[in-house]
């Protein structure tokens, strides 16, 4: 006997593949098993028992007008293949070997091929059907996608996050982790079965809220491992969808194997109906064996004919049913749009309106899944929803960033506010809003921030920074921030990404914007209206604007500080500045300016002007600053200024002058007439000498002369007895005058990088100068008298 288990390898598949088998494939599988049993049973009988039994005919050859077997049958019975008429008393005189020889010879020559090979044909055709049915599960181009899909589908079905998401959108009360896992386990167990009872149990678990509404609400918590697994599933589903939706090889392969089965069905049906009548019980055999046996005609009995004829009709019946299922499969394949799959019913049932429709092979597999159990598609759809993914990310964030961990990140910023800084997170943890003590919130490189109603718990929040972090603010939260927020920093690649709600914060005092205008809009530099910002005092804009935005004039009545940083892009039009009547501080940094803008001279309230990192070569217009009577700070550093004009003396109210990082070689003596000057920075230039008139600056407290080419200092410089900081590093000085003793208030002296051979011991008379404030080479310091060093090292 040949056990049927030997043929199991032809249909062996992973048990999980059953979810891709609709009812017609399951029925066809059972039919092929039945047909295979018929073939194997026939083959077994064919091998183990005698195939044919022959007896010689005693009629002379010339008298045989009929077949030999017909002579043995009574009239009226031969046509019905009835019982044989018994011949008695005839002796054949044949031994056993002659009978065996005749049986074999007649079997090969007289018996029809269909009657001989019927069971083998059944086995071969059945194996072909089996191969056709399971070929797409074995073909490399399709099996990998199927295995990947089944793996992801099972994980999605069993994931605790699926149960939680469906429970939330269905309005069910949350359950604890154990209950959630138990529910998933129940669903998985019932999903592994088949039949209406199993489906009913699954639906009962998921959609019967009336059984839990009486329970107290409990928040469902996923542990960290479950959350990470669900997060990985979302990524796998995304990548798998992109990969599978590109082609339709699964759909095409399924159609081809179905068409092949239909063609095979028609071929088998036709030739079996034609040849089934060839299986007869009696077979006439004429062979030239007279010289061996003495007979040439024989009447043979096909011992399996009766059984084979019954098996043939059973086989044809099974083939007909099998063919009908194949025809129905073709109808299903071509009648329905299987390359498109809509989750409309799932969206309506769950409320997840962002679940996308899918196409090609992805859609085809989901259609097959629905034939098995539509609950799989419903639970799988959870991992196609971006809303569901964002909820999971939020949950994982809340687990990772506990209030205690967030409090450890609190620190004071430069403004003295208690700040919480978060960078490069997938979202904003809800636990942030439990820290009511936070005064400043800094969010950097955080995608898709959506402020929840819990924002109202941050009652002390005054400062907000959004750096490459797009944020949505509900109307209720806008009302909360509108009067509370005082400072906001916003930075994006382009200014049009700035949220519009920023320009509606009417309590805002400082607005800092950073981002580029699109090339086609840079010249116009159109900025959103600032009319709602009634209390705005500071406006900072870092961009590539071609002119001062016109909307700046919306806050002209109360704007006190304006900073424009253009990153080297040339600022062409500055006429809007004339309307800023109360402006006190103006920064025009890296704006490509070659002259001091005339619009600046109209700012009567201006106190500080910063023109850093421009292309200024001449500052002859400095005379016009006498109209800015309140100007106390002028920063002209990091330019290409070659000289300072003599009429700098007109700036008698100037207190701070920054001219570092220019190309100055001399200073005008008239600079000494700026009697109010308290800070002068001319470092990083090419100065070789200083005018003695600098000694007239009796209010001077800070003088920076580092990185020049000074070889000596005028003695008059030490008349500036209020000097506290004197920076002389990296020059060509060979000695330091003993008159330095006159600088009683000096607390910081830099002498590094010069050509000094020794330090004057008069440094000990500078009572405010300590060792920490003296920047000089160690060898020079050690050359001072011991008592001077001791005095400097005293606390």
């Amino acid at each position: 006997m040949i056990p049927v288990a030997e043929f199991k390898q032809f249909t062996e598949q992973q048990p999980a593949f059953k979810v891709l088998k609709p009812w017609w494939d399951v029925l066809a599988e059972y039919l092929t098993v039945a047909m295979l049993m018929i073939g194997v049973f026939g083959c077994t009988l064919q091998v183990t028992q005698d195939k044919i039994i022959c007896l010689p005919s005693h009629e002379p050859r010339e008298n045989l007008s009929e077949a030999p077997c017909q002579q043995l049958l009574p009239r009226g019975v031969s046509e019905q293949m009835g019982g044989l008429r018994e011949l008695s008393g005839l002796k054949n005189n044949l031994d056993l070997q002659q009978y065996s020889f005749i049986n074999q010879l007649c079997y090969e020559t007289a018996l029809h091929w269909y009657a001989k090979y019927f069971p083998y044909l059944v086995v071969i055709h059945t194996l072909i059907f089996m191969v056709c049915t399971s070929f797409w599960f074995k073909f490399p181009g399709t099996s990998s996608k199927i295995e990947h899909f089944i793996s992801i589908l099972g994980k999605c079905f069993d994931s605790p996050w699926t149960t939680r998401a469906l429970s939330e959108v269905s309005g069910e009360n949350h359950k604890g982790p154990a209950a959630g896992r138990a529910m998933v386990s129940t669903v998985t167990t019932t999903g592994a079965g088949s039949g209406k009872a199993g489906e009913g149990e699954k639906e009962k678990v998921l959609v019967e809220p009336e059984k839990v509404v009486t329970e107290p609400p409990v928040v469902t918590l996923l542990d960290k491992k479950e959350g990470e697994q669900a997060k990985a599933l979302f990524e796998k589903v995304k990548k798998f969808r992109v990969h599978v939706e590109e082609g339709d090889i699964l759909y095409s392969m399924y159609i081809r194997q179905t068409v092949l089965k239909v063609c095979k069905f028609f071929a088998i049906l036709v030739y079996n109906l034609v040849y089934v009548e060839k299986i007869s019980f009696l077979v006439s055999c004429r062979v030239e064996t007279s010289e061996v046996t003495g007979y040439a005609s024989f009447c043979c009995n096909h011992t399996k004919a009766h059984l084979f004829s019954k098996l043939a009709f059973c086989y044809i019946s099974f083939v007909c049913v099998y063919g009908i299922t194949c025809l129905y499969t073709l109808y299903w394949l071509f009648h329905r749009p299987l390359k498109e799959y809509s989750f409309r019913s799932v969206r309506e049932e769950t409320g997840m309106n962002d679940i996308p429709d899918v196409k090609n092979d992805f859609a085809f597999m989901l259609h097959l899944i629905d034939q098995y159990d539509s609950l799989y598609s419903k639970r799988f759809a959870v991992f196609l929803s971006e809303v569901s993914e964002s909820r999971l990310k939020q949950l994982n964030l809340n687990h990772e960033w506990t209030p205690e961990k967030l409090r450890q990140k609190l620190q004071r910023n430069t403004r003295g506010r208690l700040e919480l800084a978060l960078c490069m997170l997938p979202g904003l943890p809800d636990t942030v809003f439990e820290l009511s003590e936070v005064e400043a919130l800094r969010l950097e490189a955080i995608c898709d921030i959506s402020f929840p109603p819990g924002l109202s718990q941050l009652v002390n929040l005054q400062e907000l920074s959004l750096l490459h972090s797009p944020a949505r603010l509900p109307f209720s939260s806008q009302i909360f921030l509108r009067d509370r927020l005082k400072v906001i920093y916003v930075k994006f690649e382009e200014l049009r990404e700035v949220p519009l709600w920023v320009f509606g914060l009417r309590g805002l005092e400082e607005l800092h914007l950073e981002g580029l205008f699109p090339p086609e809009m840079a010249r116009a530099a159109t900025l959103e209206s600032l009319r709602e910002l009634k209390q705005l005092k500071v406006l900072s804009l870092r961009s590539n604007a071609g002119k001062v935005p016109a909307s700046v004039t919306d806050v002209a009545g109360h704007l006190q500080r304006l900073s424009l940083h253009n990153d080297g892009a040339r600022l062409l039009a500055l006429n809007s500045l004339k309307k800023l009547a109360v402006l006190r501080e103006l920064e025009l940094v890296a704006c490509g300016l070659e002259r001091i803008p005339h619009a600046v001279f109209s700012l009567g309230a201006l106190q500080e002007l910063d023109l850093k990192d421009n292309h200024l070569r001449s500052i002859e217009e400095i005379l016009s600053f006498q109209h800015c009577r309140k100007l106390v700070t002028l920063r002209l550093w990091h330019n290409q200024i070659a000289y300072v004009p003599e009429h700098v003396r007109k700036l008698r109210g100037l207190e701070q002058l920054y001219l570092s990082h220019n190309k100055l070689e001399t200073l005008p003596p008239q600079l000494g007439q700026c009697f109010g000057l308290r800070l002068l920075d001319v470092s990083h230039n090419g100065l070789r000498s200083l005018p003695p008139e600098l000694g007239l600056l009796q209010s001077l407290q800070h003088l920076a002369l580092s990185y020049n080419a000074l070889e000596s200092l005028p003695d008059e410089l030490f008349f500036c007895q209020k000097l506290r900081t004197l920076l002389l590093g990296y020059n060509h000085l060979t000695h330091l005058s003993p008159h330095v003793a006159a600088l009683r208030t000096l607390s910081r002296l830099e002498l590094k990088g010069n050509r000094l051979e020794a330090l004057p011991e008069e440094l000990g008379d500078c009572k405010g100068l300590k060792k920490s404030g003296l920047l000089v080479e160690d060898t020079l310091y050690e050359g001072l008298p011991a008592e001077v060093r001791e005095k400097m090292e005293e606390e």
Side-chain angles (χ1 to χ4, degrees):
M1 293 291 289
I2 302 177
V4 179
E6 295 294 329
F7 299 94
K8 185 179 179 182
Q9 57 179 326
F10 292 100
T11 58
E12 187 176 9
Q13 301 160 10
Q14 295 184 18
F17 283 5
K18 65 184 179 181
V19 298
L20 288 179
K21 288 185 177 182
W23 65 264
W24 52 83
D25 279 352
V26 176
L27 177 59
E29 188 174 308
Y30 284 114
L31 290 173
T32 53
V33 172
M35 291 186 285
L36 184 62
M37 292 179 67
I38 290 174
V40 172
F41 178 63
C43 290
T44 303
L45 293 177
Q46 190 93 325
V47 172
T48 59
Q49 298 183 12
D50 292 336
K51 304 173 183 177
I52 193 170
I53 299 175
C54 298
L55 293 175
S57 174
H58 291 270
E59 296 293 332
R61 182 179 299 182
E62 59 273 8
N63 295 335
L64 290 176
S65 58
E66 297 177 344
C69 291
Q70 296 296 331
Q71 298 294 330
L72 299 177
L73 295 175
R75 296 297 179 183
V77 181
S78 61
E79 291 81 358
Q80 301 176 7
M81 302 298 291
L84 291 172
R85 178 170 56 88
E86 182 178 357
L87 298 177
S88 60
L90 295 178
K91 300 297 183 178
N92 297 324
N93 297 321
L94 298 176
D95 58 21
L96 185 59
Q97 291 183 350
Q98 289 174 320
Y99 277 117
S100 178
F101 172 74
I102 292 169
N103 290 344
Q104 292 295 329
L105 189 60
C106 288
Y107 179 79
E108 296 296 335
T109 59
L111 193 63
H112 193 272
W113 63 268
Y114 182 79
K116 287 190 294 185
Y117 303 119
F118 165 72
Y120 304 107
L121 292 174
V122 172
V123 172
I124 292 173
H125 294 321
T126 305
L127 293 179
I128 293 176
F129 279 139
M130 289 181 174
V131 171
C132 291
T133 301
S134 61
F135 183 72
W136 74 320
F137 292 126
K138 303 293 185 180
F139 183 67
T142 56
S143 62
S144 59
K145 291 184 179 180
I146 293 175
E147 291 174 2
H148 196 184
F149 175 72
I150 296 298
S151 173
I152 294 176
L153 182 68
K155 293 177 181 178
C156 293
F157 192 88
D158 296 339
S159 174
W161 173 249
T162 310
T163 303
R164 175 187 171 115
L166 291 177
S167 299
E168 286 182 349
V169 299
S170 299
E172 295 183 358
N173 290 325
H174 301 322
K175 295 187 177 182
R181 285 191 290 271
M183 180 179 295
V184 174
S185 176
T186 303
V187 172
T188 306
T189 303
T190 57
S194 61
K196 295 182 179 178
E199 296 177 2
E201 290 176 5
K202 284 180 280 188
E203 291 295 328
K204 183 177 180 181
V205 171
L206 288 172
V207 298
E208 287 190 359
E210 63 271 14
K211 293 189 177 182
V212 297
V213 291
T214 58
E215 298 180 4
V218 181
V219 178
T220 304
L221 295 178
L222 300 180
D223 58 34
K224 184 175 181 181
K225 181 179 179 181
E226 291 171 340
E228 291 298 325
Q229 289 175 347
K231 180 180 177 181
L233 270 180
F234 273 104
E235 294 300 322
K236 288 183 179 179
V237 170
K238 284 182 181 179
K239 294 179 180 179
F240 179 76
R241 179 188 172 193
V242 172
H243 175 61
V244 175
E245 280 191 322
E246 293 177 351
D248 59 352
I249 185 174
L250 295 176
Y251 177 73
S252 302
M253 185 64 68
Y254 193 82
I255 289 181
R256 291 170 185 171
Q257 68 182 31
T258 304
V259 171
L260 181 60
K261 288 191 291 184
V262 170
C263 296
K264 185 72 175 177
F265 154 68
F266 282 116
I268 293 174
L269 183 64
V270 169
Y271 92 80
N272 274 275
L273 290 176
V274 171
Y275 290 115
V276 70
E277 61 182 14
K278 300 297 183 181
I279 302 177
S280 58
F281 187 71
L282 292 177
V283 180
S284 298
C285 177
R286 291 186 177 90
V287 290
E288 295 297 333
T289 58
S290 301
E291 297 178 356
V292 179
T293 62
Y295 299 94
S297 299
F298 300 89
C299 180
C300 301
N301 173 19
H302 185 197
T303 58
K304 307 299 184 296
H306 183 71
L307 180 59
F308 279 8
S309 62
K310 302 303 181 185
L311 292 178
F313 284 111
C314 290
Y315 174 66
I316 292 173
S317 300
F318 284 136
V319 169
C320 289
V321 177
Y322 187 91
I324 292 173
T325 62
C326 293
L327 291 173
Y328 177 80
T329 305
L330 279 182
Y331 169 77
W332 182 76
L333 287 171
F334 292 110
H335 179 69
R336 299 183 60 182
L338 300 180
K339 295 176 70 173
E340 297 176 357
Y341 188 91
S342 175
F343 286 100
R344 183 178 61 182
S345 60
V346 180
R347 289 194 291 264
E348 293 175 353
E349 182 178 353
T350 63
M352 297 182 187
N353 296 322
D354 66 321
I355 299 177
D357 296 336
V358 295
K359 59 183 180 179
N360 289 337
D361 282 342
F362 202 178
F364 178 62
M365 286 189 288
L366 289 173
H367 280 294
L368 290 177
I369 290 292
D370 283 346
Q371 296 297 321
Y372 179 79
D373 190 346
S374 59
L375 183 61
Y376 278 89
S377 298
K378 177 181 177 181
R379 296 177 73 85
F380 188 80
V382 171
F383 289 89
L384 292 172
S385 169
E386 293 184 0
V387 172
S388 176
E389 183 178 9
S390 63
R391 289 175 181 170
L392 175 65
K393 290 180 179 179
Q394 194 64 45
L395 188 64
N396 289 339
L397 274 175
N398 295 341
H399 282 309
E400 181 180 358
W401 294 94
T402 61
E404 293 73 18
K405 184 176 180 180
L406 290 173
R407 282 192 173 92
Q408 295 176 2
K409 294 180 66 64
L410 291 176
Q411 57 183 2
R412 296 286 175 181
N413 61 12
T414 55
R415 295 174 177 267
R417 294 191 175 103
L418 193 61
E419 182 180 72
L420 174 62
L422 299 176
C423 179
M424 299 183 70
L425 297 181
L428 185 62
D430 290 333
T431 48
V432 168
F433 307 106
E434 299 180 19
L435 309 182
S436 58
E437 65 270 27
V438 170
E439 298 174 332
L441 183 60
R442 180 184 176 90
L443 307 176
E444 183 174 358
I446 300 178
C447 300
D448 297 327
I449 299 174
S450 182
F451 287 108
L455 180 64
S456 59
Q457 300 179 37
L458 302 181
V459 293
N460 294 314
L461 186 64
Q462 298 181 18
E463 182 178 328
L464 177 63
S465 300
L466 298 174
L467 311 179
H468 300 288
S469 303
R472 295 185 298 274
L473 191 67
F475 182 72
S476 59
S477 299
Q478 290 185 33
I479 296 177
F480 172 76
L481 290 181
R482 188 169 56 190
D483 297 317
R484 293 177 180 269
L485 206 59
K486 302 301 180 183
V487 181
I488 187 168
Y489 294 84
V490 183
K491 179 180 179 180
F492 288 98
E493 290 295 330
E494 294 187 358
L495 284 176
R496 57 186 174 188
E497 300 178 46
V498 177
L500 294 179
W501 54 263
V502 170
F503 302 98
L505 302 173
R506 62 189 184 189
L508 204 62
E509 295 180 359
E510 296 186 21
L511 174 59
H512 302 267
L513 301 176
E514 182 173 348
L516 300 178
F517 288 103
E520 65 276 7
M521 299 176 59
R523 188 176 183 86
T526 304
L527 196 63
E528 292 292 331
S529 175
L530 305 177
R531 293 175 183 174
E532 294 293 326
L533 308 181
K534 303 296 184 181
Q535 300 182 30
L536 190 67
K537 298 179 180 179
V538 177
L539 175 61
S540 174
L541 177 63
R542 182 165 186 167
S543 67
N544 58 338
K547 68 174 185 178
V548 178
S551 55
V552 171
T553 58
D554 295 337
V555 291
H558 43 83
L559 189 66
Q560 298 181 6
R561 184 175 186 274
L562 175 63
S563 175
L564 298 177
H565 196 306
N566 243 28
D567 286 326
R570 189 172 183 182
L571 190 64
L572 299 174
L574 296 95
N575 293 330
S576 300
L577 295 178
K578 297 179 180 179
K579 300 180 181 180
L580 306 180
V582 298
L583 192 67
R584 296 180 181 179
E585 300 178 29
L586 176 62
E587 292 183 5
L588 301 175
V589 179
C591 292
L593 301 176
E594 297 180 356
R595 310 287 295 222
I596 300 177
H598 290 281
V600 174
F601 306 133
S602 302
L603 303 176
L606 190 65
Q607 297 179 6
E608 296 185 17
L609 176 63
D610 189 347
L611 298 178
K612 179 183 177 181
D613 201 12
N614 283 282
H615 301 154
L616 300 179
R617 291 181 173 84
S618 172
I619 53 174
E620 290 291 342
E621 302 88 349
I622 199 172
L623 178 63
S624 300
F625 278 123
Q626 61 183 335
H627 301 294
C628 302
R629 301 185 181 278
K630 297 182 179 182
L631 185 67
V632 295
T633 301
L634 180 60
R635 296 183 175 91
L636 301 175
W637 46 0
H638 295 270
N639 281 280
Q640 301 175 23
I641 301 172
Y643 69 97
V644 178
E646 296 179 358
H647 39 259
V648 68
R649 66 180 183 276
K650 299 291 185 181
L651 306 182
R652 297 184 182 275
L654 199 63
E655 296 181 2
Q656 298 182 14
L657 178 60
Y658 295 83
L659 290 169
S660 64
H661 295 85
N662 279 285
K663 297 182 178 180
L664 298 175
E665 295 184 357
T666 59
L667 292 178
Q670 291 79 6
L671 185 60
Q673 299 181 27
C674 298
F675 300 117
L677 208 60
R678 294 187 294 108
L679 183 149
L680 177 61
D681 185 355
V682 289
S683 60
H684 293 272
N685 280 282
L687 299 176
R688 297 182 179 276
S689 62
L690 296 177
E693 286 78 5
L694 289 183
L696 300 175
L697 302 177
Q698 293 299 306
S699 299
L700 194 63
Q701 300 178 12
H702 182 105
L703 178 60
L705 298 168
S706 304
Y707 294 94
N708 280 283
L710 298 174
E711 296 180 356
S712 62
L713 299 176
D715 291 338
E716 291 82 0
L717 180 63
F718 301 102
F719 294 164
C720 304
Q721 298 184 359
K722 293 184 179 181
L723 266 179
R724 296 181 179 178
T725 302
L726 179 59
L727 306 180
L728 300 171
Y730 302 96
N731 280 279
H732 301 160
L733 298 176
T734 56
H735 72 283
L736 182 63
S737 172
H739 294 97
V740 69
L743 305 180
R744 302 281 182 172
T745 60
L746 190 66
S747 60
R748 185 182 182 193
L749 175 62
E750 181 188 20
L751 294 171
K752 268 190 176 183
N754 283 282
R755 301 171 182 175
L756 299 173
E757 296 180 358
L759 296 178
E761 61 182 27
E762 286 79 5
L763 282 176
D765 297 331
C766 300
K767 297 181 179 180
L769 187 62
K770 303 298 180 182
K771 181 181 179 181
S772 59
L774 178 61
L775 304 179
V776 68
E777 288 81 359
D778 293 338
T779 55
L780 292 178
Y781 178 76
E782 296 297 333
L784 287 171
E787 59 273 14
V788 174
R789 295 200 307 271
E790 290 177 0
K791 187 183 298 185
M792 287 186 175
E793 292 173 1
E794 292 178 357
E795 293 294 336

